[in-house]
Amino acid sequence: MIGKSLVAAVLLLVPAAPASAAPRYSPTGMISYEIFTATNEARAEAGCPALRADTELIIASVRQSGYMAATRNFGHLGAGGSTFVTRARAAGYEQPSGENIAWGFQDPHDVMAAWLASPPHRANILNCDARSIGAGVRLAEDGTPYYTQVFGWD
């Protein structure tokens, strides 16, 4: 279960859509929470334990989504050539296990469906040995969403 302080951290770290954008979905903090919930639902259906939301992984995921949204450079390499491992460690998390990224999906359920239909992304979500997650969404200037999930062993 997520504590109030963690939910507050998610909402503070992930700003809402710019006033000029008219997305048909909730603010980005709520989208992150919906992805977290949908991930644990998929894991439960597969017999995996629920993931714990981790503040450091949330920070790492928001930073990567922010980088992609700001630069329009969609990929697993971030600022300065960083990887999900170096970003998670920079945020204070020592044992990251994987990362999923996506962009352009206007609904969190659509991005989850796409990840679950992709074998490598599905493997990250349904890795029953993973114990924690951070999910982040940031919007580009034109309102295009960029999504990141970072998973961890702790």
Side-chain angles (χ1 to χ4, degrees), residues 61-151:
S61 66
V62 169
R63 285 178 179 166
Q64 180 60 6
S65 290
Y67 170 78
M68 292 187 298
T71 63
R72 305 299 278 226
N73 184 8
F74 177 71
H76 289 283
L77 292 180
S82 65
T83 67
F84 78 91
V85 173
T86 58
R87 289 188 297 273
R89 289 182 177 159
Y93 191 91
E94 291 301 318
Q95 295 188 0
S97 63
E99 177 182 70
N100 289 343
I101 58 173
W103 72 279
F105 292 92
Q106 295 300 306
D107 184 277
H109 301 288
D110 293 341
V111 74
M112 282 300 301
W115 279 334
L116 289 169
S118 165
H121 298 98
R122 182 180 184 86
N124 282 337
I125 292 168
L126 302 182
N127 181 337
C128 292
D129 293 328
R131 295 292 178 250
S132 54
I133 186 174
V137 181
R138 294 294 294 265
L139 302 176
E141 284 188 24
D142 67 358
T144 302
Y146 285 79
Y147 302 86
T148 306
Q149 289 180 309
V150 182
F151 301 89

Side-chain angles (χ1 to χ4, degrees), residues 42-58:
R43 288 173 61 84
E45 289 175 16
C48 295
L51 295 169
R52 169 184 66 76
D54 182 271
T55 303
E56 289 86 7
L57 292 180
I58 292 169

